[in-house]
Amino acid sequence: MSSSSISACEISSSKLPWKHRLLLRIGTIITDACCRSDFTVNRWLSGTLDWKIPPSTKPIDGVSSFDLTIDTSRNLWVRIFNPIIDDEDSNLQSLPLIFYFHGGGFAFSYADSALSHTSAHRFAKQLPAVVISVNYRLAPEFRYPCQYDDGFDALKFIDEVGEEILPAKADLSRCFILGESAGGNLGHHVAVRASEYTLKKVRLVGFIASQPFFGGEERTESEIRLRNQRPLNLRLSDWFWKAFLPEGEDRDHAAANVFGPKGRDVREVMKFPATLVLVGELDLLQDGQRRYYEGLKRMGKEVKMVEFENAIHGFFAFWDLPQYSSMIKEMKDFIATHTQNSIVFASSSSTKK
């Protein structure tokens, strides 16, 4: 059978276990029901179905967690995950710090939603790292640039008071941003802002963009070919942009098409961190992600791209799939490499002084 004779949904379904196919179908139905035609969200329905997990100062599966409020006026807060490390392992007495931005098309999920909480918990344990999951405002009630403001303000807050409230082993000189889907888009814009801001304690050394949500007015080949793919199809992708971008703007807005006609050249952003871009073979956003990789490379930034076969958008939510294990390995290697580079840089800086 030729590739043109089989639909994208059939391709993905044939590669996934039945339980994942069922979850994708249910998730698609729920999301469609919550996304209204006037580009508002049925918050009652989404809230009813959004299972929340509380923090726990008592370690659960090797990780404790607690919440910290930054600004009550906009409900900006973070959930901090602290992995419990064996005292005998001297190599892990200090841990990198990760600012985590969840996905959800800028319109769904919170830091205490089951998926976001569990993802951050697993990252804290498996990488390992102290993870700060940021609860940013959601569209369409809060459009661009509210999410970027929240993400950057959370980073600035930690820069100001981090040593006072973070676990003692959190190393502020080895900080990373990790963003999934819309969180990957958010992570890019926060990284640009942070690179142009004089941070006191936080040193941002890496950015992990896991299937980042970028777009543009011109349709890419993957958007057309995988337009009916679950869980993110082309119609839903367009809906998310319409609900997030300022009224009257199109997908060539700099928030979506970061290196497009209205985008920002980051050549002059000297401190932009080394970047790892993770791409799924069955993700309709893959061409935009490759374009992002090529853009950073063209602008002289350190960037690596890894593609995962048979991986749908959001495969990072299916922790029992082999692609997830491969993703964790890539993240660990990236963090280890740039943690070592950070140590070398700090040592050379100290010697110069």
Side-chain angles (χ1 to χ4, degrees):
M1 182 180 292
S2 68
S3 59
S4 62
S5 65
I6 184 169
S7 74
C9 286
E10 288 171 334
I11 291 173
S12 91
S13 295
S14 67
K15 303 294 184 180
L16 287 174
W18 69 268
K19 62 179 180 179
H20 298 320
R21 298 200 301 269
L22 178 60
L23 286 173
L24 283 176
R25 182 175 292 276
I26 294 173
T28 300
I29 293 172
I30 292 173
T31 303
D32 285 346
C34 292
C35 296
R36 299 186 177 118
S37 59
D38 62 353
F39 300 101
T40 61
V41 174
N42 185 333
R43 290 294 177 203
W44 178 86
L45 179 59
S46 65
T48 300
L49 300 171
D50 188 6
W51 176 33
K52 301 292 177 54
I53 297 180
S56 176
T57 54
K58 180 179 180 181
I60 297 176
D61 193 24
V63 179
S64 62
S65 58
F66 64 95
D67 293 345
L68 179 67
T69 299
I70 297 176
D71 186 348
T72 56
S73 69
R74 50 177 156 154
N75 195 30
L76 175 59
W77 55 275
V78 295
R79 177 161 293 180
I80 300 173
F81 295 82
N82 179 30
I84 307 305
I85 303 300
D86 190 335
D87 290 339
E88 296 181 0
D89 192 343
S90 59
N91 292 326
L92 294 177
Q93 290 309 297
S94 71
L95 293 175
L97 183 66
I98 293 177
F99 291 89
Y100 171 63
F101 301 119
H102 65 76
F106 298 111
F108 293 99
S109 201
Y110 301 92
D112 56 354
S113 296
L115 179 57
S116 302
H117 173 96
T118 307
S119 293
H121 184 284
R122 293 179 69 89
F123 288 140
K125 180 177 181 179
Q126 295 181 342
L127 291 177
V130 174
V131 174
I132 300 176
S133 180
V134 181
N135 190 71
Y136 55 87
R137 287 170 289 180
L138 300 179
E141 294 88 347
F142 301 96
R143 292 173 176 263
Y144 164 91
C146 293
Q147 292 75 7
Y148 302 163
D149 292 342
D150 290 350
F152 183 52
D153 287 349
L155 188 150
K156 286 196 300 180
F157 179 83
I158 296 300
D159 184 56
E160 293 285 344
V161 302
E163 292 174 343
E164 302 171 22
I165 52 90
L166 290 175
K169 57 179 173 286
D171 188 347
L172 291 170
S173 70
R174 296 186 289 150
C175 294
F176 295 79
I177 290 174
L178 195 173
E180 297 175 328
S181 191
N185 175 295
L186 198 165
H188 165 81
H189 291 280
V190 170
V192 171
R193 291 191 186 186
S195 299
E196 297 179 318
Y197 182 82
T198 302
L199 295 167
K200 301 177 181 67
K201 303 171 186 175
V202 165
R203 181 163 182 265
L204 186 60
V205 298
F207 169 39
I208 301 173
S210 182
Q211 298 185 283
F213 186 35
F214 297 121
E217 276 299 293
E218 183 179 353
R219 296 300 189 194
T220 67
E221 185 277 334
S222 63
E223 284 179 324
I224 296 170
R225 175 169 50 88
L226 298 170
R227 61 188 178 277
N228 296 318
Q229 182 66 287
R230 296 190 184 103
L232 182 65
N233 57 44
L234 188 57
R235 180 191 57 76
L236 184 59
S237 173
D238 287 352
W239 190 97
F240 284 142
W241 287 125
K242 195 73 173 178
F244 168 68
L245 294 173
E247 295 283 355
E249 292 286 352
D250 61 25
R251 294 186 303 275
D252 277 336
H253 187 279
N257 195 353
V258 295
F259 299 141
K262 304 175 186 177
R264 169 82 185 276
D265 191 316
V266 296
R267 285 183 179 89
E268 73 276 17
V269 183
M270 302 305 295
K271 296 180 181 179
F272 192 85
T275 301
L276 174 64
V277 183
L278 306 178
V279 180
E281 182 190 21
L282 297 175
D283 183 359
L284 88 166
L285 300 177
Q286 62 187 265
D287 286 345
Q289 293 156 4
R290 294 191 187 100
R291 185 168 55 195
Y292 177 67
Y293 162 77
E294 293 295 343
L296 287 178
K297 193 175 180 182
R298 184 174 64 252
M299 294 175 191
K301 303 307 175 185
E302 182 179 353
V303 58
K304 176 183 178 181
M305 182 175 67
V306 179
E307 301 192 36
F308 298 89
E309 293 184 358
N310 302 323
I312 60 170
H313 186 81
F315 75 89
F316 44 74
F318 296 129
W319 306 301
D320 55 344
L321 292 180
Q323 291 92 338
Y324 179 84
S325 298
S326 298
M327 179 192 72
I328 292 295
K329 181 181 184 305
E330 292 291 344
M331 288 182 177
K332 289 182 72 169
D333 290 347
F334 178 79
I335 290 172
T337 297
H338 294 287
T339 289
Q340 185 60 40
N341 290 350
S342 176
I343 294 173
V344 171
F345 176 85
S347 299
S348 62
S349 299
S350 175
T351 301
K352 290 179 182 179
K353 292 178 182 179

